[in-house]
């Protein structure tokens, strides 16, 4: 990721991958109930806030969106998802939510 950011002329780069052991919660299960998801989002936010206090921009892989089936099963899925996005990004510098999945380079300096 550092090399891709440098190619985009973002030269002062610090990349921090957050290990599960850094989270102050036992709830690491995605797709858990709303309370578990909320606690996980709060824990991630605490860690990101600690490491990004002097950042200009934070790039964050967007959490997996609820499927149509999830929403059909639980009508609150979309609301809970958006609440967790708000919790994740609360008090962070400018935060870009990016969708992961590209197998190759996805940044370019060409228009």
């Amino acid at each position: 990721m550092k090399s891709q950011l440098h190619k985009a002329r973002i030269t002062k780069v610090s990349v921090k991958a957050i290990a599960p052991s850094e989270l102050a919660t036992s709830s690491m299960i995605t797709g858990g109930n709303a309370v578990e998801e909320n606690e996980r989002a709060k824990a991630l936010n605490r860690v990101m806030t600690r490491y990004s206090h002097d950042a200009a921009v934070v790039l964050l892989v967007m959490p997996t969106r609820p499927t149509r089936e999830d929403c059909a099963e639980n009508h609150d899925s979309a609301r809970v998802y958006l609440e967790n996005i708000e919790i994740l990004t609360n008090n962070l510098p400018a935060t870009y939510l990016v969708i992961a999945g590209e197998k190759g380079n996805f940044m370019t300096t060409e228009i």
Side-chain angles (χ1 to χ4, degrees), residues 1 11 15 28 33-34 46 51 53 57 59 81 93 96:
M1 177 175 254
T11 56
V15 175
M28 284 302 299
N33 67 40
R46 282 191 295 272
Y51 287 109
H53 60 88
V57 176
L59 299 175
Y81 176 77
Y96 291 89

Side-chain angles (χ1 to χ4, degrees), residues 14-54:
S14 176
V15 175
K16 174 69 178 165
I18 299 172
S21 61
E22 293 186 68
L23 301 177
T25 179
S26 60
S27 174
M28 284 302 299
I29 302 169
T30 58
N33 67 40
V35 173
E36 289 172 339
E37 293 290 327
N38 186 277
E39 289 304 312
R40 182 172 185 265
K42 286 178 183 177
L44 282 167
N45 178 268
R46 282 191 295 272
V47 174
M48 289 187 297
T49 301
R50 180 178 28 192
Y51 287 109
S52 66
H53 60 88
D54 62 347

Side-chain angles (χ1 to χ4, degrees), residues 48-110:
M48 289 187 297
T49 301
R50 180 178 28 192
Y51 287 109
S52 66
H53 60 88
D54 62 347
V57 176
V58 173
L59 299 175
L60 177 63
V61 175
M62 188 173 222
T64 305
R65 295 170 294 197
T67 63
R68 288 180 189 210
E69 293 79 21
D70 293 336
C71 292
E73 246 178 61
N74 181 355
H75 298 295
D76 288 334
S77 293
R79 181 187 53 77
V80 169
Y81 176 77
L82 292 174
E83 285 174 357
N84 287 330
I85 294 288
E86 186 174 356
I87 290 168
L88 273 174
T89 59
N90 189 37
N91 295 322
L92 291 177
T95 304
Y96 291 89
L97 297 171
V98 295
I99 297 176
E102 292 289 332
K103 299 297 183 201
N105 292 339
F106 62 90
M107 289 187 136
T108 181
T109 58
E110 297 186 24

